[in-house]
Amino acid sequence: MSIRNLFAPFRKRSRALDEEVQFHLEKQVEANIAAGMSPDEARRQALIAFGGVQQTKERIAEVRWTRILEVLLLDARYAWRLLRKSPLFTSIVVITLAVGIGLNTAVFSLIDAVLFRALPAQNPEGLVLVRWHAQHRPKLHSWRSYGECSGNGDNDTCSLSLPWSNTVRSQTQLFCGVAAFAPSLTVDLSGNGPATITNRAEYVSGDFFSTLGIKAALGRTLQPSDDSEHAAPVLILSYAYWKSAFGAAPDVVGRSVRLNGVPFTIIGVAQQGFKGLAPANALDLWVPFSTRPLLTSGFTPRDNDESSWWVVTVARMKSGVSRTQAQAALSLLFRNQTENGPKPLFTAADQPGITLQPAREALTGGTRNTLQPLYILMMAVGLVLLIACANIAGLLLARSAARSREIAVRLTLGARRRRIVSQLLMESVILSVMGGALGLLLGRWVARLSLLLRQSSDSGPWPYTPHLDARVLLFTLSISVFTALLFGLAPALRSLRQDFMPALKAGATTSDESGRRKWYSLGNALVVAQVTLAIVALVSAGLMVHTLRNLKQTDLGFDPHNVLTFSVRPSLAGYKPAQMNGLYHELQQKFAALPGVTSVTYSLVPLLGGYYVATDIHLPGRPATQTAQTSFLPVGPGFFSSMRIPMVTGRDFSPRDFAIAAEAASRAPDAPPDPKAPPMPVIVNRLFVEKFFPGPNPVGRHFDEGTTDNPNAPKEPGFVIVGMVGNARFSNLRNEIDPTMYVPATSDDVSFAVRSTSDPQQLVSAIREVVLRRDSNLALSHVITESEQIDNLVFIERMVAQISTSFAVLALLLACAGTYGLLSYEVSRRTREIGIRMAIGAQQNDVLAMVVRHGLLLALAGAVIGTAASFGVSRLLQSMLYGVHAGDPVTLVAVAILLLLVSLVACWLPARRATKVDPLVALRYE
Amino acid sequence: MASQIDLLQGTLDLLILKTLALGPMHGWGISQRIQQVSQEVLQVGQGSLYPALARLEQRDWISAEWSTSENNRRARYYSLTKSGRKQLEKELGEWERLSAAIALVLQQG
């Protein structure tokens, strides 16, 4: 029914009233004329006599509304009295509802917080994001995108050049300010206790804070003068980082710290609550764009010219300028600069252009990843609410059937059916509103708990804050009313449709067979529905638990126990590549000397740390254009023995191998290969050999680097296999192990792996001490054990498995309660029948079997439907499953057995009660 | 025209019910009849008549229906329902008890 139809009766009423008043006036005019007045006078007198037409109408409307409110209030009081008479029933229903509604409110408020995140700026409606689009990608020197705006592929993003953001700023007739930023800056911060690495730093323009209207909590924010070539390097701390890393020191302003070894002055702390403009990460600190040459080791001046796109530009519109107007003006400028500049980035055929998008809509970076698990959760809690509804509907049904006599009496006494339905519904609404209110409290609490969640172990705290805003309140209110209708309507309508004569005649509740049958089939259907939903929940949970166990039991090919890994990034502390090998060698020896350490090694990235490095190779005898892909990992000395990856044939890397690698790395990247240099020694895994070099002995075999862009370029010295090791997992737990090639590590940041005799976490402080004593600018980051890394890899799976298991248990309990309620009711209805059966010779066992059979039949029906339904639902899960199929028979059978056992218990209690029926009492009952 | 008396709300309801007990009638007719029968003493203001009709209709004591009036015009006719008839009896009884009681008190002097 649409809103229009809903109000149609009211509008019809109003028109009818007009007509009625008109009729009255005309009659009065006739009467006045008959009494001898002139027509005009008659009309005038009639109007005077009638008084204010509008006032009359208002009073009538008032009467109607007062009456409706009166009736509602009356119903509410009546329902409330009835509910208070059965406190157990009421509290069970309210608590069930509170759990269902509370969970839904919690998940919704999280989704709400992500979707409707307010832009942290003053007057955010004036902010627009500048994005470009074209037919093809531009010819750029470098290009970085951070996913801050969701684009339509590579030809439409918000990464632009630094000069372009200055061009936008110079359009002062269109804009009154620009806030440009480039996230994902990782720095090594030292000079404040032990050095730390943070990847939550951001380059911003000098007018970033003033354009957004963000104030300083302490000191000052950036000024345009801080963002110029010769300005002293300064930084702004976020409020949260100031509290966590600087202990909220009041004298922090003016302090000097080192970023990547370069001294920076802290000039201020941003206002409380400001975590950055884009939502994905809560930031720690901001530095001006002009400090980039100081912080980035590989910086070239071209990084700041028009052909390097890495800056996100947000502009504040001048009032009175329309978005289309500004967009057209900027597009013209953009075309001119990119097509006609000294180095054209586009041709005219590319049709480059600029779009201005409201910043709040456009800056959605990271929201999609965050929302996906939340949507899965929303479905799960929706399922729980549905089961709760079915359950309560069953309870209400039993209750209204028990009240059929009362209703029948009231109907014969002339009560309108509409009124009775509205009274029964009012009962549901009251229950639901109480459940909703309690659920709101519960939901607040659950949502706050979930703030402790992290999107992964690496990210900071959840950047979104759920609020109890109007949308959440409206959501809770509407699901409360919706559930009230869902569980209240069927019993209410059912109570009317029954033939009430038998209920009256029988004088008791035992023999109204027809009414009972009808009620019964609905009650049965509700129980079957609950069992079905519970089966779906159980099967999904079973599959996820299975998946988690399979993942954790995967053969890794190395020994992850008691291994601590951590990254060292000397490149951020100002080390030159040539110095790094010496540093690593020294650290390796010092770590190995710590008590409890059995072995120490390092590699470019840790095993199973969520990284994947691959390279192309060219195999001998293949066409020059044909390359093959292999995983690729630079490793330090003793890697294989330390990680316990078995050496199958050949040997480990020797010091000479590391020297060859260091020599190769020291050559300039653009320099032509030296054909006289020795080939790079590599160690490969068994799969690599099986796939690329099947044959007796792979050691000594030779292959080349795969260069796709120019197949005729001279080959580099290539690679030579010196050893073969067992297959070990490198990037993830799920996929097939890839062919892998290990090379000697040189001149890059690395991750150490320290194996110890007991819990490696105890080594952390000793290791920090070693590093600090070696160089106070060096920071440890990503300190984590291998076992924790593996836990992180299955983070989502574990979360889904845990949540779906608890929901499945909840669903099972609800379904059980539903079965129990229905059977208990059946037994009490059939007391007389059972009494007769027993009087004519039925045994206790027969009665027991009768009741249990009924319950088990329902469970079986639900199990069959649920199993079929779970095939469909688990297909949705297929992408998350590992080592188990959607229709896994073990899971299905286990779930079915579990369910039958549990429903047996639910049947047993009422069945026992049935056997206790005393035939004499039962027959006298009537 | 004789002097008019303001009607209490409950009394107006009773008069309307009583008037409708004679047969269905439209709003204007009801006010005219009350005026005539009371010999012009009771004037029912339209401003209170129609709200009273709405109120009685809400309570299901009277029902309304469109039909054609004497000279072929559409008019809304009100009639007494089953529960309205019961209500009328109840209120008449109460009224009689009340007026008898008042009469007793007044006669005493």
Side-chain angles (χ1 to χ4, degrees), chain A residues 304-317:
Chain A
N304 277 347
D305 81 10
E306 279 169 20
S307 61
S308 292
W309 288 14
W310 55 290
V311 174
V312 182
T313 303
V314 168
R316 187 178 283 286
M317 305 277 307

Side-chain angles (χ1 to χ4, degrees), chain A residues 635-641 647 650-654 657-658 683 722-723:
Chain A
V635 299
F639 182 79
F640 302 101
S641 59
M647 183 66 69
R651 58 171 178 83
D652 197 353
F653 291 127
S654 65
D657 296 336
F658 284 97
I683 292 173
V722 300

Side-chain angles (χ1 to χ4, degrees), chain A residues 419-582:
Chain A
R419 295 273 299 112
I420 289 183
V421 172
S422 106
Q423 257 170 27
L424 290 174
L425 271 185
M426 183 53 86
E427 215 175 291
S428 313
V429 169
I430 288 183
L431 286 171
S432 184
V433 166
M434 290 202 298
L438 206 61
L440 206 59
L441 292 178
L442 191 76
R444 282 285 286 159
W445 183 69
V446 173
R448 272 209 217 128
L449 267 190
S450 64
L451 278 193
L452 305 175
L453 273 183
R454 283 147 182 256
Q455 276 160 282
S456 70
S457 66
D458 243 10
S459 65
W462 221 59
Y464 310 94
T465 324
H467 292 290
L468 196 62
D469 57 16
R471 274 182 304 271
V472 176
L473 284 175
L474 192 70
F475 172 82
T476 308
L477 186 70
S478 20
I479 61 168
S480 301
V481 172
F482 174 70
T483 47
L485 289 178
L486 206 59
F487 68 68
L489 208 54
L493 292 179
R494 168 67 68 207
S495 69
L496 286 189
R497 235 185 294 152
Q498 68 177 339
D499 177 10
F500 54 82
M501 285 323 280
L504 277 182
K505 266 189 284 173
T509 51
T510 44
S511 37
D512 51 332
E513 280 298 312
S514 61
R516 192 178 67 80
R517 281 260 165 73
K518 275 189 206 159
W519 166 76
Y520 215 52
S521 56
L522 185 58
N524 283 341
L526 283 171
V527 168
V528 171
Q530 288 176 60
V531 173
T532 303
L533 292 173
I535 288 266
V536 171
L538 281 171
V539 168
S540 315
L543 291 175
M544 283 317 298
V545 169
H546 226 90
T547 294
L548 188 65
R549 211 194 47 205
N550 286 348
L551 280 174
K552 292 195 111 177
Q553 287 176 354
T554 314
D555 180 22
L556 300 176
F558 71 97
D559 178 8
H561 299 102
N562 291 340
V563 175
L564 183 77
T565 68
F566 50 89
S567 297
V568 179
R569 306 192 60 174
S571 69
L572 293 184
Y575 281 73
K576 297 278 167 287
Q579 298 170 285
M580 291 186 190
N581 269 345

Side-chain angles (χ1 to χ4, degrees), chain B residues 2-104:
Chain B
S3 66
Q4 296 169 8
I5 297 176
D6 281 336
L7 284 171
L8 293 170
Q9 192 190 56
T11 325
L12 177 58
D13 289 358
L14 178 59
L15 292 181
I16 292 173
L17 291 176
K18 177 72 190 169
T19 309
L20 287 178
L22 302 172
M25 206 170 284
H26 46 69
W28 193 77
I30 295 171
S31 75
Q32 286 300 302
R33 173 162 287 276
I34 292 176
Q35 212 167 320
Q36 279 164 17
V37 173
S38 71
Q39 296 173 348
E40 311 284 320
V41 174
L42 301 176
Q43 287 263 16
V44 184
Q46 286 70 354
S48 40
L49 173 69
Y50 285 98
L53 286 172
R55 192 166 53 240
L56 296 176
E57 200 185 340
Q58 290 276 355
R59 305 224 141 128
D60 292 332
W61 292 337
I62 61 174
S63 60
E65 206 173 20
W66 288 98
S67 103
T68 327
S69 79
E70 311 85 58
N71 38 11
N72 249 344
R73 254 182 306 178
R74 251 162 63 84
R76 205 161 136 87
Y77 276 80
Y78 295 91
S79 56
L80 219 50
T81 63
K82 209 163 99 183
S83 61
R85 209 165 284 281
K86 236 183 272 168
Q87 182 66 17
L88 175 60
E89 277 164 30
K90 198 178 127 202
E91 288 197 13
L92 272 179
E94 273 169 19
W95 176 257
E96 271 158 24
R97 275 174 48 220
L98 178 69
S99 54
I102 291 176
L104 278 177

Side-chain angles (χ1 to χ4, degrees), chain A residues 565-897:
Chain A
T565 68
F566 50 89
S567 297
V568 179
R569 306 192 60 174
S571 69
L572 293 184
Y575 281 73
K576 297 278 167 287
Q579 298 170 285
M580 291 186 190
N581 269 345
L583 174 74
Y584 295 150
H585 193 66
E586 195 184 326
L587 286 178
Q588 200 175 6
Q589 282 179 339
K590 284 188 174 156
F591 292 149
L594 291 173
V597 172
T598 41
S599 64
V600 180
T601 187
Y602 57 88
S603 49
L604 180 71
V605 292
L607 290 179
L608 296 180
Y611 301 93
Y612 176 69
V613 190
T615 189
D616 282 339
I617 55 171
H618 175 252
L619 300 172
R622 302 270 178 98
T625 48
Q626 191 187 347
T627 59
Q629 202 183 45
T630 169
S631 282
F632 169 85
L633 182 64
V635 299
F639 182 79
F640 302 101
S641 59
S642 198
M643 297 314 290
R644 302 195 176 146
I645 300 172
M647 183 66 69
V648 180
T649 170
R651 58 171 178 83
D652 197 353
F653 291 127
S654 65
R656 201 184 108 74
D657 296 336
F658 284 97
I660 293 173
E663 173 64 28
S666 67
R667 275 196 296 274
D670 299 341
D674 175 6
K676 277 178 284 191
M680 175 85 79
V682 299
I683 292 173
V684 296
N685 69 356
R686 195 193 283 275
L687 252 165
F688 186 100
V689 172
E690 281 164 8
K691 202 162 171 195
F692 301 137
F693 292 101
N697 187 9
V699 172
R701 301 294 293 268
H702 187 274
F703 56 94
D704 297 319
E705 203 167 322
T707 44
T708 42
D709 38 348
N710 185 5
N712 298 323
K715 299 284 184 223
E716 291 200 46
F719 306 97
V720 62
I721 298 175
V722 300
M724 177 172 84
V725 292
N727 298 330
R729 289 199 171 264
F730 168 21
S731 59
N732 65 48
L733 296 176
R734 278 175 180 269
N735 298 354
E736 296 288 309
I737 297 181
D738 290 319
T740 309
M741 139 180 149
Y742 301 91
V743 301
T746 61
S747 61
D748 210 338
D749 296 340
V750 296
S751 171
F752 272 87
V754 176
R755 185 181 290 280
S756 70
T757 47
S758 57
D759 180 12
Q761 282 290 2
Q762 292 164 351
L763 290 171
V764 173
S765 57
I767 287 172
R768 279 194 195 282
E769 186 66 34
V770 167
V771 174
L772 189 67
R773 230 182 293 144
R774 174 66 175 75
D775 182 346
S776 65
N777 278 342
L778 267 182
L780 294 189
S781 64
H782 298 98
V783 183
I784 188 172
T785 65
E786 271 294 347
S787 317
E788 287 169 333
Q789 301 243 45
I790 293 166
D791 276 353
N792 277 342
L793 284 182
V794 294
F795 180 77
I796 299 273
E797 284 88 351
R798 198 177 51 238
M799 195 177 77
V800 174
Q802 280 170 352
I803 290 173
S804 60
T805 306
S806 37
F807 285 161
V809 169
L810 203 60
L812 184 65
L813 283 179
L814 284 173
C816 259
T819 314
Y820 171 78
L822 180 92
L823 293 181
S824 304
Y825 183 68
E826 188 208 1
V827 168
S828 71
R829 297 277 290 198
R830 292 169 70 184
T831 307
R832 199 171 81 115
E833 183 202 326
I834 294 170
I836 293 173
R837 279 170 190 260
M838 291 180 80
I840 59 174
Q843 296 298 304
Q844 287 206 340
N845 281 347
D846 302 333
V847 174
L848 200 71
M850 183 180 77
V851 178
V852 170
R853 194 166 51 228
H854 178 202
L856 284 188
L857 264 179
L858 292 183
L860 215 61
V864 169
I865 303 176
T867 307
S870 63
F871 267 106
V873 173
S874 52
R875 192 132 313 158
L876 295 177
L877 287 175
Q878 188 73 63
S879 67
M880 289 198 85
L881 299 182
Y882 178 76
V884 54
H885 292 288
D888 178 46
V890 179
T891 310
L892 287 179
V893 169
V895 163
I897 289 176

